[in-house]
Amino acid sequence: MRPELARGLLIPGLMLMLMLPVQSLAQSAAQNPVQTGRQTGAMAPDPAAVAAQPLTVLRQRAEAGLATAQYDLGLRLQRGTGVLLNFTEASQWFARAAAQGHPAAQSRLGQAYHSGLGVRRDPDQALYWMQQAARPEAPELLFDLARLLEQRATGAEDGAEGGTEDLLRAAQLYERAAAQG
């Protein structure tokens, strides 16, 4: 393997490894419903069910414009499940599903803009998509938005323009998410 190719694959992989420990508790709970006893509904598809879909069928459904298939294909690409890990293509599929109003895809796209995995890092786009994803009936998405606002307010995010207003809004969202479980 050429050194420049290895470096190109290594950096996104290392960034993902660094992000995993700070992944929200809500996302962890959504991915492990058995451990938490929570029902996750449509927000977190069963990884085994997503992986069991034949890739050709999934890709055909995604290309036909089905938002759920686009999101599922994005997940497979983001996780490297049965395909080569590809953050750029994953973000493209999340963007297609997000444009159709798929809340989990909107959240994943916001997270991609926040981290810069698969897209150029853009705090404004991250906030936009996380706000689009946040739904009163989805406490995990409210929590993710609150976490992003808190990071902006405390300066934990480079280039953040948040302040007291973001911090107050984050506290309100944390409360709403906690009240819903």
Side-chain angles (χ1 to χ4, degrees):
M1 182 178 291
R2 298 187 329 239
E4 61 274 3
L5 179 61
R7 279 192 302 274
L9 296 174
L10 179 65
I11 292 173
L14 288 174
M15 289 177 67
L16 178 64
M17 288 174 33
L18 292 173
M19 284 178 41
L20 289 176
V22 293
Q23 181 182 41
S24 77
L25 296 175
Q27 288 174 326
S28 297
Q31 292 174 357
N32 300 304
V34 174
Q35 292 175 351
T36 63
R38 286 179 13 139
Q39 295 295 323
T40 59
M43 297 313 301
D46 177 23
V50 173
Q53 296 180 56
L55 184 60
T56 54
V57 172
L58 182 59
R59 191 172 290 275
Q60 287 173 348
R61 292 178 64 230
E63 288 172 355
L66 297 173
T68 302
Q70 292 169 337
Y71 173 72
D72 290 347
L73 182 55
L75 279 181
R76 297 240 337 230
L77 290 159
Q78 188 179 59
R79 295 176 176 162
T81 307
V83 296
L84 287 176
L85 194 68
N86 188 329
F87 297 117
T88 301
E89 189 178 354
S91 294
Q92 292 168 352
W93 286 111
F94 290 146
R96 289 181 181 188
Q100 295 186 59
H102 193 286
Q106 291 169 332
S107 179
R108 293 279 178 164
L109 186 58
Q111 292 169 15
Y113 278 116
H114 177 69
S115 66
L117 284 175
V119 293
R120 186 173 10 137
R121 192 174 183 291
D122 186 332
D124 293 331
Q125 284 292 308
L127 180 60
Y128 172 80
W129 285 111
M130 296 300 277
Q131 287 173 329
Q132 295 299 307
R135 306 279 198 288
E137 69 276 6
E140 64 275 7
L141 298 179
L142 293 174
F143 180 89
D144 289 344
L145 175 57
R147 187 183 65 214
L148 177 65
L149 289 168
E150 180 184 12
Q151 289 173 351
R152 287 170 50 95
T154 60
E157 180 175 314
D158 295 337
E161 296 183 18
T164 305
E165 188 176 306
D166 280 348
L167 198 54
L168 291 172
R169 185 157 178 239
Q172 292 169 343
L173 289 166
Y174 280 134
E175 287 177 14
R176 286 175 49 196
Q180 294 180 36

